[in-house]
Amino acid sequence: MKNVSSQFNFPTQEANEKERSSSGTCEWDFNLSTIVSSSGGSTGGAVSNTIGVIEFDPSNAVVATGGIARKIRVYSFNSLLPSDRFCQANLLDHVTACAYTLCTPAKLSSLRWRPGSDGRVLCSGDYDGVVTEYDLETRLPIFERDEHGGRRVWSVDYSHSDPFLGASGSDDGTLQMWDPRCDGGECVASVQPSKAGNPVCCLEFDPFGGALVAVGCADRRAYGYDMRKMVDPVLVFDGHRKTVTYVRFIDGCTVVTAGTDGCLKLWDTEDSREIRTYKGHTNNRSFVGLSVWRNGKLIGCGSEDNRVYVYDKRWGEPIWLHGFGAVGEGSSGGCDEELGFVSSVCWRQVGEEQCTLIAGGSDGDLQVFSGRRKPLMLDY
């Protein structure tokens, strides 16, 4: 295995403690567990390696990544765990860590596992406007649709009440719902959330089986639709000052959105009321990832200052942050082109006292973080 330790400048213990204490009291201890790098080493944020999406399969045993490199990489989660719990971090490269790779015809913006397929079917959305389903046993495409006029697909997802029903959002300003069981994956519903036809940048079906599908647009708003009657939105979340890039359900009554105005917002799905704003990370123009660990009510996102941030649902400032690569003590916290940025994040949806967050960077590296709830301290 290639020794990549010389390619990383780990922050000092003092710097790490500074980062951890910067947001006050935190109920969690987080540690960097594993770094997975490109075989050729760090590329200084080369855009051709940017990881745009990370997704755990429904069993949380397999991880898939995609991005600008036109590859879907599939990993066994166990292969990313440290072999020696006493080492500073497990250092791997993609060639040895990856179980297998699927080459794709275009750059990838999104991935989503189809519910009910036992982790066998993985869907991708790409920069050519094509939605493709792959059978991971045969490693071949089994379904393809191109109904967005060649405009980039930003996001794909599946309904959890009808796992064959999928949706895609695109630069063409539409959200389209489709069903592979129909001839040619016929579109069963199409909406244009923004009257001006602004791009649909993100979408997510209610993962708890409800009828709501949330959609984020470049018109600075997010919308909620009843999937049973896709005509007009039943909810409008209006509060961001720039493009809404991600939307994620935290539970059955709240969603969180991310925008390129540099903040996250928590919303009530009963009345579209804004509950809380989260600030601390830097996001002015890029897709930096957003993921929610629903068991612990923690929110993870990337940042253009090349750090990964964690927020607790209850508080508006980050409870923990960690720099990728050389970022550590003395960082200005601003966007540095030479450092790159954290471009994707994903929580593993298991556990209550322990958690795992995987983040990907614009340099193509993956970093795996483990978290453990601190013991309750009692005063006597």
Side-chain angles (χ1 to χ4, degrees):
M1 181 182 299
K2 183 179 177 66
N3 184 351
V4 296
S5 59
S6 62
Q7 299 165 6
F8 297 92
N9 178 12
F10 291 97
T12 63
Q13 181 66 26
E14 180 182 355
N16 275 331
E17 290 303 321
K18 180 180 179 181
E19 287 184 338
R20 292 181 191 206
S21 62
S22 64
S23 57
T25 302
C26 176
E27 298 175 2
W28 297 87
D29 275 325
F30 287 96
N31 293 287
L32 174 62
S33 299
T34 302
I35 296 172
V36 187
S37 74
S38 300
S39 298
S42 177
T43 58
V47 70
S48 61
N49 291 325
T50 301
I51 297 174
V53 59
I54 305 168
E55 286 288 328
F56 275 99
D57 81 327
S59 73
N60 285 285
V62 177
V63 184
T65 69
I68 304 302
R70 306 188 186 203
K71 295 177 181 178
I72 298 174
R73 289 190 172 109
V74 180
Y75 307 81
S76 164
F77 175 66
N78 286 337
S79 72
L80 302 179
L81 297 176
S83 56
D84 181 356
R85 64 188 180 93
F86 297 106
C87 68
Q88 186 176 37
N90 195 28
L91 303 177
L92 305 172
D93 61 51
H94 289 295
V95 173
T96 55
C98 182
Y100 58 89
T101 300
L102 302 178
C103 294
T104 63
K107 301 172 183 178
L108 299 177
S109 58
S110 53
L111 295 171
R112 192 56 60 99
W113 302 83
R114 192 174 79 192
S117 70
D118 294 325
R120 178 170 177 168
V121 178
L122 180 65
C123 182
S124 71
D126 69 29
Y127 279 40
D128 288 347
V130 178
V131 173
T132 307
E133 286 186 345
Y134 292 91
D135 184 321
L136 297 188
E137 285 194 8
T138 64
R139 302 180 192 177
L140 296 172
I142 56 174
F143 168 71
E144 184 176 284
R145 74 183 310 271
D146 181 7
E147 301 297 331
H148 288 286
R151 304 290 297 277
R152 184 179 317 189
V153 171
W154 282 117
S155 185
V156 295
D157 196 20
Y158 290 97
S159 165
H160 290 259
S161 57
D162 182 355
F164 281 94
L165 186 65
S168 51
S170 167
D171 261 345
D172 68 0
T174 69
L175 175 145
Q176 296 192 17
M177 293 178 62
W178 33 266
D179 190 331
R181 295 168 296 187
C182 300
D183 291 340
E186 179 182 349
C187 181
V188 297
S190 179
V191 293
Q192 181 177 292
S194 166
K195 293 180 179 179
N198 297 96
V200 173
C201 299
C202 53
L203 68 99
E204 185 171 72
F205 286 92
D206 182 348
F208 304 98
L212 195 66
V213 54
V215 185
C217 294
D219 68 351
R220 308 176 185 181
R221 296 180 178 88
Y223 302 86
Y225 285 87
D226 187 324
M227 59 177 285
R228 298 166 296 187
K229 189 178 181 180
M230 297 286 290
V231 181
D232 296 315
V234 295
L235 298 168
V236 178
F237 306 108
D238 189 357
H240 283 283
R241 292 180 290 106
K242 295 177 71 175
T243 297
V244 177
T245 49
Y246 296 94
V247 58
R248 296 287 184 265
F249 284 82
I250 290 186
D251 49 40
C253 58
T254 54
V255 297
V256 62
T257 57
T260 51
D261 54 0
C263 66
L264 314 178
K265 290 182 179 291
L266 184 70
W267 308 88
D268 190 312
T269 58
E270 291 294 322
D271 55 10
S272 304
R273 176 175 53 91
E274 181 181 328
I275 300 171
R276 186 166 293 111
T277 297
Y278 306 90
K279 292 184 177 181
H281 63 287
T282 303
N283 188 197
N284 298 312
R285 60 181 181 178
S286 302
F287 285 75
V288 296
L290 177 70
S291 184
V292 173
W293 181 40
R294 299 186 178 97
N295 292 356
K297 300 295 190 290
L298 298 183
I299 304 165
C301 70
S303 177
E304 289 164 3
D305 66 1
N306 211 30
R307 298 173 188 254
V308 59
Y309 285 72
V310 173
Y311 296 88
D312 188 298
K313 175 188 173 182
R314 298 168 292 179
W315 302 304
E317 298 198 1
I319 62 169
W320 183 80
L321 54 143
H322 186 93
F324 259 47
V327 174
E329 189 174 17
S331 170
S332 65
C335 180
D336 190 327
E337 293 291 340
E338 294 184 358
L339 293 175
F341 60 97
V342 177
S343 52
S344 53
V345 294
C346 187
W347 291 98
R348 189 169 184 245
Q349 299 294 334
V350 297
E352 293 183 357
E353 302 301 314
Q354 299 183 49
C355 58
T356 300
L357 177 67
I358 300 183
S362 58
D363 58 1
D365 290 350
L366 285 177
Q367 294 195 14
V368 182
F369 302 94
S370 59
R372 182 183 297 271
R373 194 186 296 271
K374 295 177 181 178
L376 181 63
M377 303 299 292
L378 299 176
D379 294 327
Y380 293 97

